[in-house]
Amino acid sequence: MTAQEFKANVPLRWSDQDINGHVNNAKIVTAIEESRIFWLNKEAATKGLTSFNVPKVVVSLEVQYKRPVSGVDDLTIYICTEKIGNTSFTLRYRGEQDGKVAFIARTVLVTLDRETQRPRRLDEKEIAYLRSYTAE
C-alpha cells in the first residue's frame, strides 16, 4: 500500500478495443501515459509546482497484464512513487476496472533540461511532491 496514491479516471474509447473486444495493450500504455501527464503536469501545477512541465523521457517501462480491460467502463489508474534518484524517478501504476486489478506497471522517468535536452537534477519541490506519493 502507499502513503498516498494519485487516482486518475481514464475514459476509454470504442476505438481502443482490439478484434477480441479488449482494450489493446498499446492503448493501456497510452492510458498510463495520460494519467501520468495529468498527475505530473496538471495536478502538480494546482499545488503550485509547475517545474514538472519540462520534457521527461521514459527510460524503462514494464507492464504486467492481469486481466483483459473492456472498452465499456472507464479505467481507474492509481499512481505512486517507488523510488527517487538525482535525475530520475520510478513510478508504479495499478489499473483497475470494475474494482478488479487489470494491470500493474512501472516506469522510470528522467527529467530533461529544456535547453540542453540533457538530464537535470530534480529540485527540492519536485522531490517533496514525489515523496508525498511514495510507496510505503
Side-chain angles (χ1 to χ4, degrees):
M1 289 297 114
T2 63
Q4 178 179 349
E5 293 178 308
F6 178 75
K7 178 182 175 182
N9 291 314
V10 180
L12 298 171
R13 298 164 292 273
W14 180 84
S15 61
D16 292 340
Q17 296 179 84
D18 60 20
I19 196 165
N20 298 316
H22 303 134
V23 173
N24 181 282
N25 63 322
K27 299 294 185 175
I28 296 293
V29 173
T30 299
I32 290 168
E33 177 186 37
E34 289 173 1
S35 67
R36 179 181 64 245
I37 288 170
F38 184 81
W39 178 56
L40 289 177
N41 293 15
K42 297 197 181 347
E43 179 67 16
T46 67
K47 297 181 179 185
L49 181 62
T50 59
S51 60
F52 273 127
N53 287 333
V54 296
K56 293 171 280 302
V57 178
V58 174
V59 296
S60 176
L61 166 67
E62 173 189 329
V63 183
Q64 297 173 8
Y65 299 97
K66 303 294 186 183
R67 60 177 317 169
V69 173
S70 75
V72 177
D73 297 317
D74 287 354
L75 184 62
T76 303
I77 299 178
Y78 298 90
I79 306 171
C80 66
T81 307
E82 193 170 87
K83 182 180 177 187
I84 304 170
N86 292 323
T87 62
S88 67
F89 53 98
T90 304
L91 301 178
R92 188 171 62 215
Y93 311 81
R94 185 179 75 253
E96 294 184 1
Q97 192 175 51
D98 299 323
K100 296 177 184 163
V101 176
F103 65 85
I104 304 291
R106 180 176 284 114
T107 58
V108 178
L109 289 100
V110 172
T111 55
L112 300 178
D113 178 275
R114 193 177 299 281
E115 306 268 326
T116 65
Q117 295 297 300
R118 306 236 346 118
R120 70 159 178 83
R121 293 184 76 80
L122 294 166
D123 68 31
E124 290 179 22
K125 289 182 181 179
E126 292 167 335
I127 291 169
Y129 181 77
L130 292 169
R131 277 195 183 133
S132 70
Y133 292 91
T134 299
E136 292 179 348

